[in-house]
Amino acid sequence: MTHQQFYTCDYCFKEFEPKRRRVQKYCSDTCRSKAYHARKTSTKLAAPSEQITVPDFSTLPKPKMSLSGVGNATAGTLAADAIKSLLTKTTNKPATKGDLKALIETLNGRYHLVKNMPANEFGQYPYFDLVEGVLVYLSINTTI
């Protein structure tokens, strides 16, 4: 006579006959996965006894802007810009619009656009170099 032992499912609390040699905790895979999901979601949620309180910011002092504070900030910014300008080499400074115009005027004195020739496959236009006496292709935008 075989002795049948029944277990109680830890999730749905129904009695079941175990199908494996080890001790089973759940009657089915569905109960096992639901129990796992219940364990994982319950640890992420706050306990009902723990209430979240929002601090009252109306009691904090409001920051005030003063003329001396604005003056100090302006003086600090100007000093930092001046030091940066003094320590940066001329070759590393950014080009201004005036620098680009002067460059184009210099190039126009040396290079002359050849209007009866098309641009090459790179979109560069043909220019005649008056100093060297050769034809060069340059990407010069003269609409600045």
Side-chain angles (χ1 to χ4, degrees), residues 6-23:
F6 290 99
Y7 290 95
T8 304
C9 178
D10 286 354
Y11 183 75
C12 67
F13 303 108
K14 292 181 183 175
E15 285 191 355
F16 68 96
E17 183 180 352
K19 298 198 168 118
R20 296 182 188 94
R21 292 182 184 180
R22 295 180 294 178
V23 177

Side-chain angles (χ1 to χ4, degrees), residues 45-67:
L45 299 176
S49 62
E50 298 176 14
Q51 292 183 357
I52 299 173
T53 59
V54 178
D56 184 19
F57 292 111
S58 64
T59 59
L60 294 175
K62 293 187 171 63
K64 297 178 183 176
M65 187 184 319
S66 66
L67 190 58

Side-chain angles (χ1 to χ4, degrees), residues 84-85 88-100:
K84 189 181 356 174
S85 176
T88 304
K89 294 180 181 177
T90 307
T91 56
N92 292 337
K93 289 183 180 179
T96 63
K97 194 171 184 178
D99 294 336
L100 294 175

Side-chain angles (χ1 to χ4, degrees), residues 6-143:
F6 290 99
Y7 290 95
T8 304
C9 178
D10 286 354
Y11 183 75
C12 67
F13 303 108
K14 292 181 183 175
E15 285 191 355
F16 68 96
E17 183 180 352
K19 298 198 168 118
R20 296 182 188 94
R21 292 182 184 180
R22 295 180 294 178
V23 177
Q24 285 180 248
K25 292 183 179 181
Y26 306 104
C27 63
S28 66
D29 288 336
T30 304
C31 284
R32 182 178 51 81
S33 64
K34 285 182 178 182
Y36 173 80
H37 182 70
R39 279 194 313 272
K40 292 302 172 187
T41 55
S42 67
T43 58
K44 291 181 183 175
L45 299 176
S49 62
E50 298 176 14
Q51 292 183 357
I52 299 173
T53 59
V54 178
D56 184 19
F57 292 111
S58 64
T59 59
L60 294 175
K62 293 187 171 63
K64 297 178 183 176
M65 187 184 319
S66 66
L67 190 58
S68 62
V70 172
N72 288 339
T74 304
T77 302
L78 291 175
D81 288 344
I83 291 171
K84 189 181 356 174
S85 176
L86 289 174
L87 297 178
T88 304
K89 294 180 181 177
T90 307
T91 56
N92 292 337
K93 289 183 180 179
T96 63
K97 194 171 184 178
D99 294 336
L100 294 175
K101 282 185 178 181
L103 178 64
I104 289 172
E105 288 174 6
T106 304
L107 290 176
N108 285 339
R110 178 176 179 172
Y111 298 102
H112 289 281
L113 178 63
V114 180
K115 296 182 181 180
N116 62 352
M117 290 180 64
N120 66 3
E121 63 270 6
F122 302 111
Q124 298 171 327
Y125 291 97
Y127 287 86
F128 184 75
D129 186 355
L130 293 175
V131 175
E132 299 290 326
V134 293
L135 185 70
V136 293
Y137 284 88
L138 300 172
S139 297
I140 299 176
N141 184 4
T142 59
T143 60

